Amino acid sequence: MSNQESCAVLSSFNCDPFVALLNHSSKSNALSALGVDFGQVTSVLIDQDHPVWKESPTYTFIWTLPEQVLPSFRSILEGFPPGIDTLDQEVDLFARQILAAVPRSNATFVTSWALDPAYRALGMQAWKPGIGIRWFLTRINLRLAELFKDEEGVFLLDSEHWLTSVGPGAVNPKLYYMGKIKYNQNLFQVAVSELLAAINGVRGLAKKLVILDLDNTLWGGIVGDDGWENLLLGGHDPKGEAFQHFQKELKALTRQGVILGIVSKNEEDIALEAIDKHPEMILRREDFSGWRINWMDKASNVQQLTAELNLGLQSVVFIDDNPVERDQVATALPEVLVPDWPKDPMHYVSALHNLKVFDQPSITDEDRKRTGSYVSERQRKQVQQSASSIEEWLRNLDIKVEIKAFASANLKRINQLLNKTNQMNLSTRRLTEQEMLAWVEDPSNHLWSVHVSDRFGDYGLTGILSVTVQGDIATIVDFILSCRVFNRRVEHAMLHHAVTFAMQQNQQKIKATFLPTKKNKPCKSFFDDSIMETDGDEYAIVLPIEVKLPADITIIAD
């Protein structure tokens, strides 16, 4: 990040070590911590004039102990279970106080409530409804999660996981009695790394592509020497089971929008045969968005595959069991994350989980379908290579463009596309979900989502078109299209829809203003070549006018 961001840290105990560690990370993460005296969480949340809010923090981090913000939970620890309604009301009040402060920063991170790892919680009574401490703790965490589930920009972080990862030593009673410092340095370090992973997710810096070696990475053995029938994978062998478990975890990542690729020094037909035929393979050919299986150096292959998938190198994680290959890629492509990888495959799954680079603020249906969309794109390119012209290729694709009026069910995906698309983007404006809803509610504003499919599959929601009407002039505000589908005349269908809508509204003119960035030149090129008259970055056309439908595309429009 080029500009320093800040994070307000509110806590019910002494978090000075945490603040210091967060500030220490500022060089690599462009983030500074704004510490607040501990024990003042509620008073700071409800006081919009508190000095920390004058600093306009980019993020807010709230870390509390349940007994310090919920009087009823303190009573539970003292052996006096309260009425459940009273406890619920206290959780609701705490959530309202947090939500009141949410607009003061871009994102708010709240830790879930947890007990000390060594706390036994009455043994057999721990989970007894209405009595057990674990039962009460789970209840209040679930209630807090439900209260936040529809709130954009509020994220509940799992502090129980932090404590479990460090173990009983995470809590140092002596530090607490002497300075009200609840946890040791190791726990604070874990908390900082988890918070930074969440912040990077909000920043849009989550990794999107995992590129994998094959031999001794996805399976045990060398397929070219051993043959696919003799690879170590699955079965009753501990290491074979570990390789298979690793594949299962990678498959789970694809359901969260992460895509997989292969870069391996092998004969392609032999390697693909193993992927297709080995009965214990979890990952099959259709689970990989692309591959480079040859004898070239791996850095070149990583670079080419990443470019083919239309991603930046900063989006890539490269996993290889061979330290020499890892070093070559890391040296040649410093933007790529190349983690040290354990020698023992039985540690592969934990190594994958410890990367902490896949956190995302939300996961849409389009994210879950991403691998399938790349597989379809590979098929489209094969058709393109056999076509004699662009026109023939487009005819063979049988593209359908469906333009739908705004629906709240698509809000998350629309907002994601609005805030992440850079190339085919007219104004590159950024809005929160609430700001977008407020804009759409104005009757002079109109917004459509653009859905694209062809004979190979469904691209999903890949475009946004919005128009505002003032007097007798219609203005295109947002003209956004994913790079996956532009140059396929989808953009022409969108402009056709905008002009047709303006004429239906009896407008005398439709116009658009291009706001240049470093990345949106493709959008200007399209408007320069469109039917609209150009005056620098201003575009307009007098209505009515005959607008021809793009050839070879079927348009279904609201």
Side-chain angles (χ1 to χ4, degrees):
M1 303 292 292
S2 58
N3 297 320
Q4 186 86 350
E5 295 181 330
S6 61
C7 180
V9 178
L10 282 60
S11 61
S12 61
F13 55 91
N14 190 339
C15 258
D16 285 351
F18 174 86
V19 170
L21 286 170
L22 194 57
N23 275 322
H24 183 69
S25 74
S26 64
K27 290 184 179 179
S28 58
N29 291 284
L31 185 75
S32 62
L34 304 174
V36 177
D37 290 343
F38 70 90
Q40 300 183 30
V41 176
T42 297
S43 62
V44 174
L45 288 174
I46 64 177
D47 181 9
Q48 62 181 357
D49 294 321
H50 190 279
V52 74
W53 306 125
K54 302 295 185 184
E55 299 288 335
S56 299
T58 320
Y59 311 105
T60 301
F61 176 64
I62 303 169
W63 195 352
T64 61
L65 304 177
E67 65 271 23
Q68 292 180 341
V69 291
L70 305 174
S72 294
F73 195 83
R74 185 165 58 249
S75 297
I76 293 170
L77 294 179
E78 293 170 353
F80 301 104
I84 292 174
D85 289 345
T86 303
L87 182 61
D88 288 348
Q89 290 169 9
E90 291 174 3
V91 175
D92 293 353
L93 174 61
F94 184 63
R96 288 198 300 272
Q97 292 167 345
I98 291 173
L99 293 174
V102 164
R104 300 171 198 158
S105 59
N106 293 353
T108 300
F109 304 95
V110 184
T111 63
S112 63
W113 288 308
L115 295 173
D116 294 354
Y119 196 91
R120 190 164 177 269
L122 298 178
M124 292 184 293
Q125 299 292 316
W127 287 96
K128 191 167 184 177
I131 295 176
I133 293 172
R134 293 287 179 191
W135 182 84
F136 278 115
L137 184 70
T138 301
R139 181 184 177 88
I140 61 177
N141 275 320
L142 287 174
R143 190 170 186 89
L144 198 63
E146 286 293 325
L147 292 168
F148 290 154
K149 72 175 182 178
D150 296 324
E151 297 296 330
E152 182 199 1
V154 182
F155 305 97
L156 199 59
L157 304 183
D158 184 12
S159 68
E160 182 80 31
H161 168 68
W162 310 348
L163 291 163
T164 301
S165 67
V166 176
V171 176
N172 188 327
K174 189 172 182 179
L175 281 175
Y176 185 74
Y177 292 127
M178 294 181 67
K180 295 299 177 286
I181 299 173
K182 181 67 177 177
Y183 303 113
N184 69 12
Q185 196 77 349
N186 290 338
L187 191 283
F188 284 127
Q189 185 65 66
V190 169
V192 166
S193 67
E194 292 283 349
L195 175 60
L196 291 175
I199 287 174
N200 280 335
V202 170
R203 288 169 168 172
L205 300 178
K207 302 300 181 183
K208 299 175 183 176
L209 169 63
V210 179
I211 296 180
L212 299 139
D213 177 40
L214 292 176
D215 295 332
N216 293 314
T217 300
L218 283 187
W219 55 58
I222 309 296
V223 67
D225 294 338
D226 304 329
W228 66 262
E229 303 91 340
N230 300 310
L231 294 175
L232 187 60
L233 183 62
H236 299 291
D237 183 273
K239 290 189 176 180
E241 185 178 347
F243 280 115
Q244 191 178 62
H245 188 190
F246 180 50
Q247 289 194 26
K248 288 180 179 178
E249 294 300 307
L250 289 166
K251 180 103 172 181
L253 274 182
T254 67
R255 300 185 184 108
Q256 299 172 37
V258 178
I259 62 174
L260 307 179
I262 299 170
V263 165
S264 172
K265 289 184 176 178
N266 261 305
E267 294 296 333
E268 182 174 318
D269 57 344
I270 293 175
L272 293 178
E273 183 184 27
I275 291 171
D276 293 338
K277 291 186 176 181
H278 198 293
E280 301 288 349
M281 280 291 294
I282 301 299
L283 298 171
R284 296 295 185 182
R285 192 185 297 219
E286 61 269 18
D287 293 308
F288 297 98
S289 298
W291 53 78
R292 289 290 187 277
I293 304 173
N294 53 43
W295 299 100
M296 290 175 56
D297 72 279
K298 290 193 175 182
S300 297
N301 278 332
V302 167
Q303 193 166 28
Q304 290 176 18
L305 178 58
T306 304
E308 176 186 299
L309 297 175
N310 242 337
L311 294 171
L313 292 171
Q314 73 281 356
S315 302
V316 179
V317 179
F318 176 70
I319 296 176
D320 195 310
D321 70 295
N322 189 325
V324 175
E325 300 287 8
R326 295 199 303 267
D327 182 69
Q328 192 257 336
V329 172
T331 302
L333 306 173
E335 292 176 275
V336 173
L337 174 62
V338 184
D340 289 334
W341 207 244
K343 294 181 180 179
D344 189 341
M346 288 187 274
H347 294 295
Y348 281 11
V349 169
S350 57
L352 182 67
H353 289 167
N354 287 332
L355 290 179
K356 301 178 184 177
V357 293
F358 303 113
D359 296 41
Q360 297 185 69
S362 63
I363 300 174
T364 66
D365 287 341
E366 278 72 19
D367 293 327
R368 295 185 179 94
K369 297 174 183 176
R370 186 165 291 138
T371 295
S373 70
Y374 278 102
V375 173
S376 298
E377 187 62 22
R378 190 164 62 242
Q379 295 170 328
R380 293 180 188 104
K381 288 183 178 178
Q382 291 170 352
V383 171
Q384 184 180 20
Q385 290 170 359
S386 63
S388 60
S389 65
I390 291 293
E391 287 71 23
E392 180 186 349
W393 176 56
L394 291 174
R395 281 197 303 272
N396 289 335
L397 286 181
D398 189 21
I399 297 172
K400 292 181 175 61
V401 179
E402 189 171 2
I403 303 177
K404 300 180 180 181
F406 173 80
S408 58
N410 292 325
L411 176 61
K412 282 195 177 297
R413 173 57 181 163
I414 290 172
N415 191 252
Q416 185 184 68
L417 200 61
L418 179 85
N419 290 307
K420 290 188 176 181
T421 305
N422 294 305
Q423 296 182 70
M424 183 58 75
N425 196 325
L426 179 70
S427 58
T428 318
R429 70 168 178 161
R430 309 303 195 193
L431 300 175
T432 66
E433 289 182 14
Q434 295 304 316
E435 288 170 337
M436 176 175 285
L437 281 173
W439 190 85
V440 172
E441 286 172 359
D442 186 329
S444 63
N445 297 329
H446 307 267
L447 186 145
W448 298 268
S449 56
V450 181
H451 305 250
V452 181
S453 62
D454 61 24
R455 71 185 179 92
F456 292 107
D458 189 350
Y459 291 96
L461 198 167
T462 53
I464 304 168
L465 172 67
S466 73
V467 173
T468 188
V469 175
Q470 298 289 339
D472 57 5
I473 297 177
T475 301
I476 300 174
V477 179
D478 298 301
F479 193 96
I480 296 170
L481 191 62
S482 168
C483 60
R484 291 188 291 137
V485 293
F486 71 69
N487 286 332
R488 297 182 189 183
R489 297 193 179 135
V490 177
E491 54 270 46
H492 295 80
M494 291 169 60
L495 185 58
H496 173 273
H497 182 79
V499 174
T500 302
F501 169 78
M503 288 192 293
Q504 290 172 346
Q505 298 292 310
N506 296 317
Q507 301 299 293
Q508 294 185 11
K509 180 187 290 188
I510 185 168
K511 66 177 186 177
T513 299
F514 174 75
L515 299 178
T517 69
K518 293 180 179 179
K519 297 182 178 180
N520 67 345
K521 289 181 181 178
C523 191
K524 180 170 175 57
S525 296
F526 167 73
F527 273 89
D528 284 343
D529 294 335
S530 73
I531 61 171
M532 301 185 78
E533 297 176 2
T534 306
D535 183 9
D537 291 336
E538 300 293 330
Y539 301 86
I541 192 166
V542 176
L543 303 175
I545 187 173
E546 181 184 358
V547 183
K548 294 182 180 180
L549 284 168
D552 308 319
I553 288 183
T554 301
I555 302 176
I556 305 168
D558 289 346

